[in-house]
Amino acid sequence: MTTLAPSTSEGAAPPPVRRRRNRGGVSPALRADHNLARSVGVFLLWVVVVVSIAMLAWIVLQAFRDTREILSSPWGMPKSFDFTNFSTAWNVSGFAMATLNSVVTTAVSSSVCVAIACPAAYYLSRVESRLTNGLSLYFIIGLGIPAQVILIPLFVMLDKVHLTDSLIGLNLVYIGLSMPFTVFLLTAFFRSLPLEMEEAAALDGASALRTFVKITLPLAKGGILTAFVLLLVSHWNETLLALTLIQSTEKYTLPVALISFVQQQTYSGADWGGLFAGLCIVILPMLVIYMWLGRRLTEGLTLGMGK
Amino acid sequence: MSALTTKLPRRASGPAEKPGRRPGGSSIDRQRRKLLVPFVGPAFIFYTVLFIVPAFAAVWISLNDWAGSGPMTFVGFSNYIQVFQDPLFLKSFGNTLLLLFVVGAVVFALAFAMTLVLRDMAAKKIVRNVIFFPHLINALVFGVLAGFIFNPGGMVNTLLKPLGVSEPPAWLAQDNIFPLIMATMVMTTTGYFTTILMAGVDRIPPYFYEDCALAGATAFQRLRYVILPLTWDVFGTCAVLWTISSIKIFEIIWVFGGSSGAGIPPTQSWTVAVYTYVTAFSGLSTPAYGAATASAIISLALVSVLVVLLRRAMRRDAIEF
């Protein structure tokens, strides 16, 4: 582990002074200073990293063992890779339907939300007037309102139009709820785009709408994708609203299905194998997205943070 | 991918040009202004109908006595008084405050320490990527896992046995659950805030550190006079983010340690969000929408006050660099 910290032991230099190679051209002032506290810190960080990865691997491995094995030795390894737990969870415990619901809801609500927020954010970032300032503020207010405040009124409202216990209703709620964040993020992103191209397009006689569609949208692909992925993550994991608005089993999203699975165990005995398979179904899509678009996620979350 | 990287330095350096203020381009400006309704309209409608209207409705409902169906009777502020006299609510509110302040303080201390270590550590990208990942996982997962790790024959106890602990504490006893939840929250959120703080620290231009080295500043002086002042605004943003998200903590409480039978977590571990949900939707007693909404509004008030205070406290003259 200590080898990973940049060379610590080059103390008493031998007479023929060999200059240390400058790693990546970093000036000596920027290199880490080395003392005990730091080494301990580095060591602890690596422990955290190793434990986190081990934990994830452990969850996946446990999903391949049956409940009795898991309970008798929680540290054991699966004897063979059989997918019984997954197929049970998938077919019997209703995770298949829930996964399908979750995938559809997440994809639909995220795309619609981005599609609606894009033009609004563009307008708010390009036109500066008292009205747009007010509108920006109006959207930002929503960032500070916790979901539980609007939980009950939403339930009552949707009930009036028969949209409770319906995935359409859930989609609408997700779109409305994510609007402040998406508009905020995309406004910050559009502001960071250069104006020159749009001006050139305008000089060439393109209308404002055409400029937006042909010039700005392609330029903003990165930011839009970032917003979309962040929405995917938050909608995939959303629990409180889904738990409130959805009642029938065949419309459960994954988190709700997982909760009901946990609660059933009280009556039917623990099925840890199935539970671990369920956890895997919740975690693995996020892992795939993170591996694939991880940099976008972290950049998106820190975008506009400082300014 | 490459598109974003080339744009990033631009974003980081220099203030964004103020659009719309330039003398030229007035024709496209005028054209753009006409797009207000088609461009902003849909977002405005969705947001207003599904967010702002319910928020105002919440204020109204909290002033009424209402069981969801049947008549609403206006009762003024008596829901608030009733909620504040409910020991369950006080317990939940106290727990939320514990999460907000105690967990918040620990998370920030750890995140900052990790940032300092990470700043110039080898392989920092790997470490950063790994510690960020828990943020993407539903908190439910950690709640369920805790039930497995801490149950009587579970992992922790099998680990402790060889160490001579024959009578391990009853981890999942009703009184012990909440401290465990707090510990879990620390473990799962520290990485996220470390990532954000790192983004702030990475923005500090290297010549400041070089200057420190030339002036012979100690590590502590460098921290005190360079790193802290230049990341202060990021700290402020993180504090606001944590305040807002800690009020919503629900999932992890709901399933922590597995189920407790009735499907409702033990009252010792409730947060305000759980209180709101149970009061309105538990199905065990008559739903009290008024009281439930009142409790949610109280948490909203808490957030607003704290955010305003935080902005006050964290306000410094902006440092341009």
Side-chain angles (χ1 to χ4, degrees):
Chain A
M1 296 245 164
T2 44
T3 51
L4 290 160
S7 52
T8 39
S9 56
E10 276 195 42
V17 183
R18 221 183 82 239
R19 291 184 97 201
R20 235 190 297 179
R21 205 150 44 106
N22 202 347
R23 291 159 185 277
V26 182
S27 80
L30 300 182
R31 272 201 222 109
D33 27 80
H34 301 290
N35 54 34
L36 186 66
R38 218 195 120 71
S39 314
V40 172
V42 169
F43 175 72
L44 285 181
L45 264 178
W46 280 108
V47 171
V48 170
V49 168
V50 169
V51 169
S52 310
I53 295 177
M55 190 83 177
L56 189 62
W58 177 78
I59 295 173
V60 176
L61 286 177
Q62 296 308 305
F64 290 100
R65 308 170 72 206
D66 68 41
T67 304
R68 204 152 8 101
E69 277 183 69
I70 295 177
L71 281 181
S72 61
S73 67
W75 298 95
M77 284 286 143
K79 294 201 184 68
S80 62
F81 281 97
D82 75 63
F83 284 83
T84 331
N85 286 329
F86 283 98
S87 63
T88 316
W90 198 252
N91 299 321
V92 183
S93 313
F95 277 116
M97 201 61 212
T99 308
L100 182 68
N101 290 339
S102 263
V103 168
V104 171
T105 309
T106 307
V108 170
S109 57
S110 307
S111 353
V112 175
C113 189
V114 166
I116 293 177
C118 249
Y122 175 72
Y123 188 88
L124 294 180
S125 70
R126 288 292 182 267
V127 178
E128 196 153 313
S129 67
R130 202 171 286 168
L131 177 66
T132 53
N133 287 342
L135 278 173
S136 302
L137 199 65
Y138 179 69
F139 277 107
I140 286 176
I141 288 174
L143 287 174
I145 301 181
Q148 70 255 34
V149 171
I150 59 171
L151 185 68
I152 292 160
L154 262 182
F155 181 78
V156 174
M157 274 170 53
L158 290 178
D159 203 35
K160 288 234 168 78
V161 287
H162 305 290
L163 281 176
T164 48
D165 198 17
S166 124
L167 289 174
I168 299 176
L170 192 65
N171 270 299
L172 288 175
V173 168
Y174 283 178
I175 295 168
L177 215 69
S178 299
M179 202 50 82
F181 170 72
T182 321
V183 169
F184 174 73
L185 184 79
L186 286 175
T187 307
F189 187 78
F190 281 128
R191 286 225 170 99
S192 73
L193 289 181
L195 288 172
E196 286 76 12
M197 299 261 247
E198 289 178 29
E199 279 159 4
L203 284 179
D204 284 344
S207 67
L209 179 65
R210 199 178 149 89
T211 315
F212 172 64
V213 176
K214 292 275 177 188
I215 308 290
T216 317
L217 278 188
L219 274 179
K221 238 176 3 201
I224 294 172
L225 186 58
T226 302
F228 180 66
V229 177
L230 286 172
L231 288 181
L232 285 186
V233 172
S234 80
H235 293 170
W236 179 261
N237 290 329
E238 205 290 325
T239 309
L240 178 60
L241 286 158
L243 188 66
T244 311
L245 296 174
I246 303 290
Q247 283 96 36
S248 40
T249 321
E250 74 275 7
K251 287 175 189 149
Y252 278 175
T253 56
L254 261 182
V256 186
L258 196 65
I259 290 178
S260 99
F261 188 79
V262 172
Q263 288 177 345
Q264 274 165 23
Q265 292 196 343
T266 330
Y267 306 107
S268 58
D271 174 9
W272 284 104
L275 192 55
F276 276 106
L279 294 184
C280 283
I281 301 175
V282 175
I283 297 173
L284 292 182
M286 292 296 103
L287 185 65
V288 170
I289 286 186
Y290 190 52
M291 298 272 209
W292 181 31
L293 295 162
R295 219 165 46 81
R296 277 197 193 291
L297 277 171
T298 41
E299 268 165 13
L301 283 174
T302 49
L303 172 76
M305 204 104 281
K307 298 283 164 186
Chain B
M1 285 265 168
S2 60
L4 202 64
T5 38
T6 51
K7 265 166 232 139
L8 270 177
R10 171 181 282 275
R11 189 180 305 134
S13 68
E17 306 142 84
K18 285 263 185 296
R21 281 270 169 81
R22 36 189 61 215
S26 63
S27 124
I28 191 165
D29 256 13
R30 244 178 294 127
Q31 257 193 34
R32 262 198 210 121
R33 275 164 204 280
K34 285 191 199 131
L35 292 174
L36 173 65
V37 174
F39 269 37
V40 187
F44 184 83
I45 291 172
F46 262 94
Y47 174 60
T48 308
V49 172
L50 290 162
F51 209 127
I52 298 298
V53 170
F56 279 106
V59 176
W60 173 243
I61 292 175
S62 75
L63 299 174
N64 284 277
D65 213 2
W66 193 29
S69 55
M72 271 170 111
T73 40
F74 185 80
V75 291
F77 285 98
S78 75
N79 276 327
Y80 289 89
I81 298 168
Q82 183 203 325
V83 160
F84 267 118
Q85 283 167 348
D86 184 354
L88 265 182
F89 175 76
L90 293 179
K91 180 75 189 157
S92 319
F93 196 68
N95 282 343
T96 298
L97 291 181
L98 276 178
L99 283 173
L100 180 55
F101 290 111
V102 178
V103 174
V106 176
V107 164
F108 272 68
L110 282 179
F112 190 59
M114 282 165 96
T115 310
L116 292 182
V117 176
L118 263 175
R119 187 173 63 83
D120 39 24
M121 176 178 164
K124 74 172 174 187
K125 283 220 179 91
I126 301 175
V127 177
R128 195 155 68 157
N129 286 342
V130 171
I131 60 177
F132 179 78
F133 185 60
H135 177 68
L136 303 181
I137 301 179
N138 195 328
L140 278 177
V141 172
F142 302 113
V144 172
L145 278 184
F148 185 75
I149 294 173
F150 288 104
N151 73 8
M155 303 182 75
V156 170
N157 287 358
T158 53
L159 267 186
L160 285 177
K161 199 170 268 170
L163 298 177
V165 185
S166 53
E167 292 278 315
W171 302 105
L172 296 175
Q174 302 203 336
D175 289 319
N176 293 342
I177 270 193
F178 195 69
L180 265 188
I181 291 178
M182 289 170 63
T184 316
M185 287 304 300
V186 169
M187 284 168 58
T188 53
T189 41
T190 304
Y192 171 59
F193 286 104
T194 310
T195 314
I196 297 182
L197 288 181
M198 273 301 286
V201 171
D202 279 348
R203 272 193 343 205
I204 300 177
Y207 51 78
F208 280 113
Y209 298 124
E210 287 169 342
D211 211 21
C212 284
L214 285 178
T218 62
F220 177 74
Q221 283 169 327
R222 193 172 59 190
L223 173 66
R224 169 75 185 75
Y225 295 105
V226 175
I227 300 181
L228 267 184
L230 292 184
T231 47
W232 193 249
D233 54 344
V234 185
F235 266 97
T237 318
C238 285
V240 171
L241 277 178
W242 169 249
T243 308
I244 293 172
S245 63
S246 67
I247 296 288
K248 299 190 226 179
I249 292 171
F250 173 82
E251 294 97 322
I252 189 165
I253 314 270
W254 197 251
V255 294
F256 200 87
S259 170
S260 57
I264 293 173
T267 52
Q268 285 92 331
S269 65
W270 282 15
T271 57
V272 180
V274 175
Y275 180 89
T276 305
Y277 181 83
V278 173
T279 316
F281 300 109
S282 71
L284 293 185
S285 53
T286 352
Y289 280 14
T293 322
S295 70
I297 299 270
I298 293 169
S299 52
L300 173 62
L302 177 70
V303 172
S304 323
V305 169
L306 284 176
V307 168
V308 170
L309 284 181
L310 272 173
R311 298 213 71 122
R312 270 280 156 79
M314 305 296 279
R315 194 164 53 196
R316 293 279 188 285
D317 290 329
I319 300 169
E320 293 287 334
F321 60 93

